[in-house]
Structures are given as C-alpha cells and as structure tokens.
Amino acid sequence: MSEKQNGSGRVSLEDVARLSGVSTATVSRVLNGSDTVKAKSRAAVEKACEELGYVINRAARTLASRRSMTIGAVVPTLATETFSRPLAAFQQLIHDAGYTLLLANSNFDPDTELKEVNKLIEYGIDGLMLVGHTHHPKLWERINAQDLPCVQTFSQDSEKPCVGYDSEGAAQTIASHLLALGHTRFGVIVGTPPSNDRISDRLYGTRKALAAQGLTLPESHLIDNAYSMNDARKAVFRLLDSPEPPTAIICGNDLLAFGAMRAASERYLRIPNDISIVGFNDYEYAEHLEHPLTTMRVDLASIGTHAAEYLLATLNNQPAQRHTLIKTELIVRGSSGSVPRQER
C-alpha cells in the first residue's frame, strides 16, 4: 500500500485504521474494492483517507495482487459523441469496480492503434477495449501473447468478444426509408479509412438496398474523406454542383449531417422539400435542430456498459457474454421527406 508524505511524516495503513476506528485488515479490504465491508465502515475509511491524504501505491498493489487495477481503451477519436458517450458509461462502471481507465486515441490509424495498445500493455493494464474488428495484423498477436482480456465494440465478430450492432442492416433500413419516399438519386458522406469496418459495412448495406431497386450509387456521389462538420459542408457543395445532384444525402454521423444541413441552407434549399438529409447515432442535439434530424438511433451508452461488464466478469473469472448485439432504431423526424415534385 502507498503512503503519502505529509507535514508530520508518512501516513500509514495503521494511521488510517486508527482514525477510522477499524482494523488494518478492514482498511485493506476497502482499498482493494472488496464488497464484504459494511457501508458504515467503508465510509469511515474513505473519510479517514481523505483527511489524512492517504493514497494507494499502485506499484505496490500490482506486485502484491498481480493486478494494476487499470483498464485500457483505444478509440478512433474523441471529437464526437460516437465514442465519448460509450466511454463515459464504460469508465463509470469500471470505476465503481475499483479500476482506472487509461485512454488513447488512434486517429483512425491502425499503426497508431498498435503503438497505443503496446504502450498500454507496457503500463500493465488488466483489460482492453477496442473499436471495430479490423486492426493491424500484429495487434491480436500482441494481445494473445499477454493473455489480455479484450472486447471489441461497435461491430460484430463471430470469433472474438464483441459488443456492436448490425451496420449493414442499419444502412439498408436508412436507404429503404428514403427509397420509399421516392428518392432515386443519393449522396453519401462518410470518412472511410481502410480500418473503418463499420462504415464499409454501411456502404455495402446502402448499395445492396439501392441494387434491389435497380439503382446504383455513383462513385462521384460518395464522399469518403469527411470527418468534420465543415468537411461535410464542402462535400454537399460538391454534390450539389454535380450534373445530377442527389435529392437525398446519407451521412456517417449526426455531426456530418449537421454540416450537410448548413450547406443546404446556404444554397437556399428547403429541408426536406428540396433535399432530404439523414444522420447516424442520434446525438443529443439531433432532435433540437431547426429541422429535427432523421437518424439511426444507437444506444451508445449501452455499448460502453456491456463492454465494461464483459471485462469485469472476465477479470473476476465469472461467466461473460462474448457477443452482444445492440439494437438500432430509425428515428424519422423532419429532415427527410418525399422526393421533390419536379423529380417525380
């Protein structure tokens, strides 16, 4: 256990026990996250630790328990709710279990993801959360060599533990909604680095739905390098200036959809009378926009919660659900409507 230097010397486990009125064994159990301690005693120990400035020596604990009480997570970006919301739920659950989150950002780059995972392993993490099922070829070699519990999120993987949704099916649902409204000319705005299996699956689902109606998505109508709201805004200008501009635009997330809506407004297009725009993920602000956004709702917090539950159960040698399918739901709002009359 750690000790912290204060004005009168080092604070010891015995000091905490004396002030809280319990045994050193009880203090140790509280600090190690045991659930066998009565609430009154736990509160007394926590209060004593705060008053004395006592902190746990993680290095000493790791040597004693062979656990660092840390869990790592590597996500592509923290710039959107797509990953910040599940991370918040994930962190809360592991925190309640006594673990600390070590977080890294890969910037959608598999080489960077591998480097960050290597660093987290060097820090002695007890478990790991990743995004997607497509990674650097050496990533799983490194994870398996350490026998490290790991869960993938946001996609389905028949072989490895995962918490995700059916990207292909969700995309088909969006396209079918717009097809039913009479749209035949589509634009798609996404960011698709080679490692982004979620977007690749969605593109496949979109094309599949269009093909069922004898339609195709022209390559010129696929913008695959948009990551920010301004990127989406510029992408819409390109689409609208094409020989056959789309009447419906499908966006990779709600942030891109917001940028698309801004561009439509700048071109004096009415939503949805002149153009329909659909997002993905149902961010908190989606229903509060000037034109409430039609979007695919994903329970993002649930992804983080289920991922944490899997890792915690595995670390405690308890049965864990290896594959969790998160349901999606199309939320139809005011940004999608029938194809413009002149196009019918």
Coordinates of all heavy atoms in Angstrom, one line a residue, residues 81-82 85 165 170-171 173-175 177-178 181 202 249-258 261 276-289 291-300 327-337:
E81 N -19.8 12.5 -30.1 CA -20.5 11.7 -29.1 C -20.4 10.2 -29.4 O -20.6 9.4 -28.5 CB -22.0 12.1 -29.1 CG -22.3 13.4 -28.4 CD -23.8 13.6 -28.3 OE1 -24.5 12.7 -27.9 OE2 -24.2 14.7 -28.7
T82 N -20.1 9.8 -30.6 CA -20.0 8.4 -31.0 C -19.2 7.6 -30.1 O -19.5 6.5 -29.7 CB -19.4 8.3 -32.5 OG1 -20.2 9.1 -33.4 CG2 -19.4 6.8 -32.9
R85 N -19.6 9.2 -25.5 CA -20.8 8.7 -24.7 C -20.6 7.3 -24.2 O -20.7 7.0 -23.0 CB -22.1 8.8 -25.5 CG -23.3 8.9 -24.6 CD -24.6 8.7 -25.3 NE -24.8 9.8 -26.3 CZ -25.9 9.9 -27.1 NH1 -26.8 8.9 -27.0 NH2 -26.0 10.8 -27.9
Y165 N -23.4 -3.5 -33.3 CA -24.7 -3.5 -34.0 C -24.5 -4.0 -35.4 O -23.3 -4.0 -35.9 CB -25.4 -2.2 -33.9 CG -24.5 -1.0 -34.3 CD1 -24.4 -0.7 -35.7 CD2 -23.8 -0.2 -33.4 CE1 -23.6 0.4 -36.1 CE2 -23.0 0.8 -33.8 CZ -22.9 1.1 -35.2 OH -22.1 2.2 -35.6
A170 N -28.5 -1.7 -40.6 CA -28.9 -0.3 -40.3 C -28.9 0.6 -41.5 O -29.8 1.4 -41.8 CB -28.0 0.3 -39.2
A171 N -27.8 0.4 -42.3 CA -27.7 1.2 -43.6 C -28.8 0.8 -44.6 O -29.4 1.7 -45.2 CB -26.4 0.9 -44.2
T173 N -31.8 -0.1 -43.8 CA -33.0 0.5 -43.3 C -33.1 2.0 -43.6 O -34.2 2.5 -44.1 CB -33.1 0.3 -41.7 OG1 -33.1 -1.0 -41.4 CG2 -34.3 1.0 -41.2
I174 N -32.0 2.7 -43.5 CA -32.0 4.1 -43.9 C -32.3 4.3 -45.4 O -33.1 5.1 -45.8 CB -30.6 4.7 -43.6 CG1 -30.4 4.8 -42.0 CG2 -30.5 6.1 -44.2 CD1 -29.0 5.2 -41.6
A175 N -31.6 3.5 -46.2 CA -31.8 3.6 -47.7 C -33.2 3.2 -48.1 O -33.8 3.9 -48.9 CB -30.8 2.7 -48.4
H177 N -35.9 3.6 -46.3 CA -36.7 4.7 -45.9 C -36.8 5.7 -46.9 O -37.9 6.2 -47.3 CB -36.2 5.2 -44.5 CG -36.8 6.6 -44.2 ND1 -38.1 6.8 -43.9 CD2 -36.2 7.8 -44.1 CE1 -38.3 8.1 -43.6 NE2 -37.2 8.7 -43.8
L178 N -35.6 6.1 -47.5 CA -35.6 7.1 -48.5 C -36.1 6.7 -49.8 O -36.8 7.4 -50.6 CB -34.1 7.6 -48.6 CG -33.6 8.3 -47.4 CD1 -32.1 8.5 -47.5 CD2 -34.3 9.7 -47.2
L181 N -39.7 7.0 -50.0 CA -40.2 8.3 -50.2 C -40.0 8.8 -51.6 O -40.3 9.9 -51.9 CB -39.4 9.3 -49.2 CG -39.7 9.1 -47.7 CD1 -38.7 9.9 -46.9 CD2 -41.1 9.5 -47.4
R202 N -21.6 -0.3 -43.8 CA -22.8 0.5 -44.1 C -22.9 0.8 -45.6 O -24.0 0.9 -46.1 CB -22.7 1.8 -43.3 CG -23.1 1.6 -41.8 CD -23.4 3.0 -41.2 NE -22.6 3.1 -40.0 CZ -22.3 4.3 -39.4 NH1 -22.8 5.4 -40.0 NH2 -21.6 4.4 -38.3
I249 N -29.4 12.8 -49.0 CA -28.0 12.6 -48.6 C -27.9 11.8 -47.3 O -28.6 12.2 -46.3 CB -27.3 13.9 -48.4 CG1 -27.2 14.7 -49.8 CG2 -25.9 13.8 -47.9 CD1 -26.6 16.1 -49.7
I250 N -27.1 10.7 -47.3 CA -27.0 9.9 -46.1 C -25.6 10.2 -45.5 O -24.6 10.1 -46.2 CB -27.1 8.4 -46.5 CG1 -28.4 8.1 -47.1 CG2 -26.8 7.5 -45.3 CD1 -28.5 6.7 -47.7
C251 N -25.6 10.5 -44.2 CA -24.3 10.9 -43.6 C -23.9 9.9 -42.5 O -24.7 9.2 -41.9 CB -24.5 12.3 -42.9 SG -24.9 13.6 -44.0
G252 N -22.6 9.8 -42.4 CA -22.0 8.8 -41.5 C -22.3 9.0 -40.0 O -22.2 8.0 -39.2
N253 N -22.6 10.2 -39.6 CA -23.0 10.5 -38.2 C -23.7 11.8 -38.2 O -23.8 12.5 -39.2 CB -21.8 10.5 -37.3 CG -20.8 11.6 -37.6 OD1 -21.1 12.7 -37.9 ND2 -19.5 11.2 -37.6
D254 N -24.3 12.2 -37.1 CA -25.1 13.4 -37.0 C -24.3 14.7 -37.2 O -24.9 15.7 -37.6 CB -25.9 13.4 -35.7 CG -26.9 12.3 -35.6 OD1 -27.2 11.6 -36.6 OD2 -27.4 12.0 -34.5
L255 N -23.1 14.6 -36.8 CA -22.2 15.8 -36.9 C -22.1 16.2 -38.4 O -22.2 17.3 -38.8 CB -20.8 15.6 -36.3 CG -19.9 16.8 -36.4 CD1 -20.4 17.9 -35.5 CD2 -18.5 16.4 -36.0
L256 N -21.8 15.1 -39.2 CA -21.7 15.4 -40.7 C -23.1 15.8 -41.3 O -23.1 16.6 -42.2 CB -21.3 14.1 -41.4 CG -19.9 13.5 -41.0 CD1 -19.6 12.3 -41.8 CD2 -18.8 14.6 -41.2
A257 N -24.2 15.2 -40.7 CA -25.5 15.6 -41.2 C -25.8 17.1 -40.9 O -26.4 17.8 -41.7 CB -26.6 14.7 -40.5
F258 N -25.3 17.6 -39.7 CA -25.5 19.0 -39.4 C -24.7 19.8 -40.4 O -25.2 20.9 -40.8 CB -25.0 19.2 -38.0 CG -25.3 20.6 -37.4 CD1 -26.3 21.3 -37.9 CD2 -24.5 21.1 -36.4 CE1 -26.6 22.6 -37.4 CE2 -24.8 22.3 -35.9 CZ -25.8 23.1 -36.4
M261 N -26.7 20.0 -43.5 CA -27.8 20.9 -43.4 C -27.4 22.3 -43.6 O -28.2 23.1 -44.2 CB -28.6 20.6 -42.1 CG -29.2 19.2 -42.0 SD -29.8 18.7 -40.4 CE -31.4 19.5 -40.4
S276 N -33.5 15.8 -48.8 CA -33.6 15.1 -47.5 C -32.2 14.7 -47.0 O -31.3 14.4 -47.8 CB -34.4 13.8 -47.7 OG -35.7 14.1 -47.9
I277 N -32.0 14.8 -45.7 CA -30.7 14.5 -45.1 C -30.9 13.6 -43.9 O -31.8 13.9 -43.0 CB -30.0 15.8 -44.7 CG1 -29.7 16.7 -45.9 CG2 -28.7 15.5 -43.9 CD1 -29.1 18.0 -45.6
V278 N -30.1 12.5 -43.8 CA -30.2 11.6 -42.7 C -28.9 11.4 -42.0 O -27.8 11.3 -42.7 CB -30.8 10.2 -43.2 CG1 -30.9 9.2 -42.1 CG2 -32.1 10.4 -43.9
G279 N -28.9 11.3 -40.7 CA -27.7 11.1 -40.0 C -27.6 9.7 -39.4 O -28.3 8.7 -39.8
F280 N -26.7 9.5 -38.4 CA -26.5 8.2 -37.7 C -26.0 8.5 -36.3 O -25.1 9.3 -36.1 CB -25.5 7.4 -38.5 CG -25.6 5.9 -38.3 CD1 -26.2 5.1 -39.2 CD2 -25.0 5.3 -37.2 CE1 -26.3 3.8 -39.1 CE2 -25.1 4.0 -37.0 CZ -25.7 3.2 -37.9
N281 N -26.6 7.8 -35.3 CA -26.2 7.7 -33.9 C -27.2 8.5 -33.0 O -27.2 8.2 -31.8 CB -24.8 8.3 -33.6 CG -23.7 7.3 -34.0 OD1 -23.9 6.1 -33.9 ND2 -22.6 7.8 -34.5
D282 N -28.0 9.4 -33.5 CA -28.9 10.1 -32.7 C -28.3 10.9 -31.6 O -28.5 10.6 -30.4 CB -30.1 9.2 -32.2 CG -31.3 10.0 -31.7 OD1 -31.4 11.2 -32.1 OD2 -32.0 9.5 -30.8
Y283 N -27.4 11.8 -31.9 CA -26.7 12.6 -30.9 C -27.8 13.4 -30.1 O -28.9 13.7 -30.6 CB -25.7 13.6 -31.6 CG -24.5 12.9 -32.1 CD1 -23.7 13.7 -33.0 CD2 -24.2 11.6 -31.9 CE1 -22.5 13.1 -33.5 CE2 -23.1 11.0 -32.4 CZ -22.2 11.8 -33.2 OH -21.1 11.2 -33.8
E284 N -27.4 13.9 -29.0 CA -28.3 14.6 -28.1 C -29.0 15.8 -28.8 O -30.2 16.1 -28.5 CB -27.6 15.1 -26.9 CG -28.5 15.7 -25.8 CD -27.8 16.0 -24.5 OE1 -26.5 15.8 -24.5 OE2 -28.4 16.5 -23.6
Y285 N -28.3 16.5 -29.6 CA -28.9 17.7 -30.3 C -29.7 17.4 -31.5 O -30.4 18.3 -32.0 CB -27.8 18.7 -30.6 CG -26.7 18.2 -31.6 CD1 -27.0 18.0 -32.9 CD2 -25.4 17.9 -31.1 CE1 -26.0 17.5 -33.8 CE2 -24.5 17.4 -32.0 CZ -24.8 17.2 -33.3 OH -23.8 16.8 -34.2
A286 N -29.7 16.2 -32.0 CA -30.3 15.9 -33.3 C -31.8 16.3 -33.4 O -32.3 16.8 -34.4 CB -30.2 14.4 -33.6
E287 N -32.6 16.1 -32.3 CA -34.0 16.4 -32.3 C -34.2 17.9 -32.1 O -35.4 18.4 -32.2 CB -34.7 15.6 -31.3 CG -34.4 15.9 -29.9 CD -35.2 15.0 -28.9 OE1 -36.5 15.0 -29.1 OE2 -34.7 14.4 -28.0
H288 N -33.2 18.7 -31.8 CA -33.4 20.1 -31.4 C -32.9 21.0 -32.5 O -32.9 22.2 -32.3 CB -32.7 20.4 -30.1 CG -33.1 19.6 -29.0 ND1 -34.4 19.6 -28.4 CD2 -32.4 18.6 -28.3 CE1 -34.5 18.8 -27.4 NE2 -33.3 18.1 -27.3
L289 N -32.5 20.5 -33.7 CA -32.1 21.3 -34.8 C -33.2 22.0 -35.4 O -34.4 21.7 -35.1 CB -31.4 20.5 -35.8 CG -30.1 19.7 -35.4 CD1 -29.6 18.8 -36.5 CD2 -29.0 20.8 -35.0
H291 N -34.3 21.9 -38.3 CA -35.0 20.8 -38.9 C -34.6 19.5 -38.2 O -33.6 19.0 -38.4 CB -34.7 20.6 -40.4 CG -34.9 21.9 -41.2 ND1 -36.2 22.3 -41.6 CD2 -34.0 22.8 -41.6 CE1 -36.1 23.5 -42.2 NE2 -34.8 23.8 -42.3
P292 N -35.5 19.0 -37.2 CA -35.1 17.8 -36.4 C -34.6 16.7 -37.4 O -35.3 16.4 -38.4 CB -36.4 17.5 -35.7 CG -37.1 18.8 -35.6 CD -36.8 19.6 -36.9
L293 N -33.5 16.1 -37.0 CA -32.8 15.2 -37.9 C -33.3 13.8 -37.8 O -33.5 13.1 -36.7 CB -31.3 15.2 -37.5 CG -30.4 14.3 -38.3 CD1 -30.3 14.8 -39.8 CD2 -29.0 14.3 -37.7
T294 N -33.6 13.2 -39.0 CA -33.9 11.8 -39.1 C -32.6 11.1 -39.0 O -31.6 11.4 -39.7 CB -34.5 11.5 -40.5 OG1 -35.8 12.1 -40.6 CG2 -34.7 10.0 -40.7
T295 N -32.5 10.1 -38.1 CA -31.2 9.4 -37.9 C -31.4 8.0 -37.3 O -32.5 7.7 -36.9 CB -30.4 10.3 -36.8 OG1 -29.1 9.7 -36.6 CG2 -31.2 10.4 -35.5
M296 N -30.4 7.2 -37.4 CA -30.4 5.9 -36.9 C -30.0 5.9 -35.4 O -28.8 6.3 -35.1 CB -29.5 5.0 -37.7 CG -29.5 3.5 -37.2 SD -31.1 2.7 -37.3 CE -31.3 2.7 -39.1
R297 N -30.9 5.6 -34.5 CA -30.5 5.6 -33.1 C -29.7 4.4 -32.7 O -30.1 3.3 -32.9 CB -31.8 5.7 -32.2 CG -31.5 5.7 -30.7 CD -32.8 5.9 -30.0 NE -33.3 7.3 -30.1 CZ -34.5 7.7 -29.7 NH1 -35.4 6.8 -29.2 NH2 -34.9 9.0 -29.9
V298 N -28.6 4.7 -32.0 CA -27.8 3.6 -31.5 C -27.6 3.9 -30.0 O -27.3 5.0 -29.6 CB -26.4 3.5 -32.1 CG1 -25.6 2.4 -31.5 CG2 -26.5 3.3 -33.6
D299 N -27.9 2.9 -29.1 CA -27.7 3.1 -27.7 C -26.2 3.1 -27.4 O -25.7 2.1 -27.0 CB -28.5 2.0 -26.9 CG -28.5 2.3 -25.4 OD1 -27.8 3.2 -25.0 OD2 -29.3 1.7 -24.7
L300 N -25.6 4.3 -27.5 CA -24.1 4.3 -27.4 C -23.7 4.0 -26.0 O -22.7 3.3 -25.8 CB -23.7 5.8 -27.8 CG -23.9 6.1 -29.2 CD1 -23.6 7.6 -29.5 CD2 -23.1 5.3 -30.2
K327 N -29.3 -3.2 -30.5 CA -30.3 -2.9 -31.4 C -30.2 -1.4 -31.9 O -29.8 -0.6 -31.2 CB -31.7 -3.1 -30.8 CG -32.0 -4.6 -30.5 CD -33.4 -4.7 -29.9 CE -33.7 -6.2 -29.6 NZ -35.1 -6.3 -29.1
T328 N -30.6 -1.2 -33.2 CA -30.7 0.1 -33.8 C -32.1 0.4 -34.1 O -32.9 -0.5 -34.3 CB -29.8 0.2 -35.0 OG1 -30.2 -0.8 -36.0 CG2 -28.3 0.0 -34.7
E329 N -32.4 1.7 -34.2 CA -33.8 2.1 -34.5 C -33.8 3.4 -35.3 O -33.2 4.4 -35.0 CB -34.6 2.4 -33.2 CG -36.0 2.8 -33.4 CD -36.7 3.2 -32.1 OE1 -36.0 3.2 -31.1 OE2 -37.9 3.5 -32.2
L330 N -34.5 3.3 -36.5 CA -34.6 4.5 -37.3 C -35.6 5.5 -36.7 O -36.7 5.2 -36.5 CB -35.0 4.2 -38.7 CG -35.1 5.4 -39.7 CD1 -33.7 6.0 -40.0 CD2 -35.8 4.9 -41.0
I331 N -35.1 6.7 -36.4 CA -35.9 7.8 -35.8 C -36.2 8.8 -36.9 O -35.4 9.5 -37.4 CB -35.2 8.5 -34.6 CG1 -34.8 7.5 -33.6 CG2 -36.1 9.5 -34.0 CD1 -35.9 6.7 -33.0
V332 N -37.5 8.7 -37.4 CA -37.9 9.6 -38.5 C -38.3 11.0 -38.0 O -39.3 11.0 -37.2 CB -39.0 8.9 -39.3 CG1 -39.4 9.9 -40.5 CG2 -38.5 7.6 -39.9
R333 N -37.7 12.0 -38.4 CA -38.0 13.4 -38.0 C -38.2 14.2 -39.2 O -38.5 13.7 -40.3 CB -37.0 13.9 -37.1 CG -36.8 13.1 -35.7 CD -35.9 13.9 -34.8 NE -35.7 13.2 -33.5 CZ -34.6 12.6 -33.1 NH1 -33.5 12.6 -33.9 NH2 -34.5 12.0 -32.0
G334 N -38.0 15.5 -39.1 CA -38.4 16.4 -40.1 C -37.3 16.7 -41.2 O -37.6 17.4 -42.2
S335 N -36.2 16.0 -41.2 CA -35.2 16.3 -42.2 C -35.3 15.3 -43.4 O -34.5 15.5 -44.4 CB -33.8 16.1 -41.6 OG -33.5 14.8 -41.3
S336 N -36.2 14.4 -43.4 CA -36.4 13.5 -44.5 C -37.9 13.6 -45.0 O -38.8 13.6 -44.2 CB -36.1 12.1 -44.2 OG -36.9 11.6 -43.1
G337 N -38.1 13.7 -46.3 CA -39.4 13.8 -46.9 C -39.5 13.2 -48.3 O -38.5 12.8 -48.8

